[in-house]
Amino acid sequence: MSDYKIEKPTPYYEQFYHSIKKMIFEGKFKPGERIIETQLAKEFNVSKSPVREAIRILETEGLVTVDEKSRVIVYEPTIKDVEEIYFCRMALESFAVGLTTTISTDTELADIESTLKQTEQAILHSEEANTIITLNEQFHNLIVQYTHNRRLQKQLNDLKSLMYFFRILNFQGEGRADQILSQHWDIFSQMKKRNAEQASKEMVEHLKLDLSHLIGVLHTTETTEP
């Protein structure tokens, strides 16, 4: 009977979830903008139910908020919120990189190094920003994955969507791709030496620099908004 499998179609709500998420990441929906469920349902010629379910998932991920009047608003980062999330990342990811440096296999380290080399090529060939951002995310994800610590992975996974949202904002600025890649190489060089303590310090420094740059981007955005 295995030859006669029926492929289940992707549920509407899941399709809407990915579509709306992509629209937020690509700036089609701006931070602070209202998303009108009835309008989306009408545009896609579906009932409101799958749209509402997609919104519910996005709300749990922090990409939208629902106010007291049930209006759906795209997440708008504040300095305080960004700082809180980055402080969590510093604690969790510095521990993760130290653990992975200690316990990872040579093959797992080679996977991480391969990602950095792919990032180099993507920057060299001026590939789309989304490609480079995804590779940057993969670098961090592999470090966490190779801790083989499910509890740690879950805590960071809960922040995954907001972290990607911040990565997009953090990519703004001349030479940012090269700066981020250089810092990733600094982290990896310590991992390759199996120097867990220094790898952890490099990760904290990298995230501090990211946070500082992101705060600058947010300040610039605030001052240029009409």
Side-chain angles (χ1 to χ4, degrees), residues 30-181:
K30 306 291 184 186
E33 183 177 346
R34 183 182 175 191
I35 296 176
I36 303 174
E37 296 176 35
T38 52
Q39 185 175 317
L40 274 180
K42 185 177 180 180
E43 287 178 5
F44 287 96
N45 195 29
V46 295
S47 69
K48 288 191 294 183
S49 295
V51 178
R52 188 175 295 118
E53 180 62 18
I55 293 296
R56 187 191 66 77
I57 299 171
L58 291 166
E59 185 182 10
T60 63
E61 293 185 355
L63 287 174
V64 302
T65 58
V66 179
D67 67 14
E68 66 282 354
K69 295 182 179 179
S70 298
R71 292 176 298 193
V72 180
I73 310 296
V74 177
Y75 170 70
E76 190 168 19
T78 65
I79 302 296
K80 185 176 186 300
D81 198 25
V82 168
E83 286 178 337
E84 287 179 351
I85 289 174
Y86 264 86
F87 292 152
C88 289
R89 286 189 65 190
M90 286 176 204
L92 295 171
E93 292 195 48
S94 62
F95 173 76
V97 76
L99 181 56
T100 295
T101 299
T102 303
I103 71 170
S104 60
T105 65
D106 290 342
T107 299
E108 289 170 341
L109 283 183
D111 284 348
I112 297 171
E113 186 171 19
S114 176
T115 297
L116 292 176
K117 289 178 178 177
Q118 290 176 55
T119 309
E120 272 186 340
Q121 289 302 308
I123 294 171
L124 181 64
H125 296 292
S126 301
E127 293 191 23
E128 291 185 359
N130 285 344
T131 300
I132 301 170
I133 292 169
T134 299
L135 285 167
N136 287 339
E137 179 184 45
Q138 185 175 320
F139 170 76
H140 286 270
N141 287 348
L142 285 175
I143 289 172
V144 175
Q145 178 184 329
Y146 291 144
T147 63
H148 302 288
N149 184 318
R150 290 182 297 108
R151 301 290 183 179
L152 175 62
Q153 290 165 4
K154 183 183 184 304
Q155 289 188 60
L156 282 165
N157 193 58
D158 288 344
L159 299 172
K160 189 173 182 179
S161 289
L162 288 180
M163 282 158 52
Y164 191 84
F165 185 81
F166 292 160
R167 282 190 174 100
I168 295 171
L169 294 176
N170 216 342
F171 201 75
Q172 296 179 30
E174 188 175 349
R176 277 300 289 160
D178 288 312
Q179 291 170 10
I180 294 169
L181 178 61

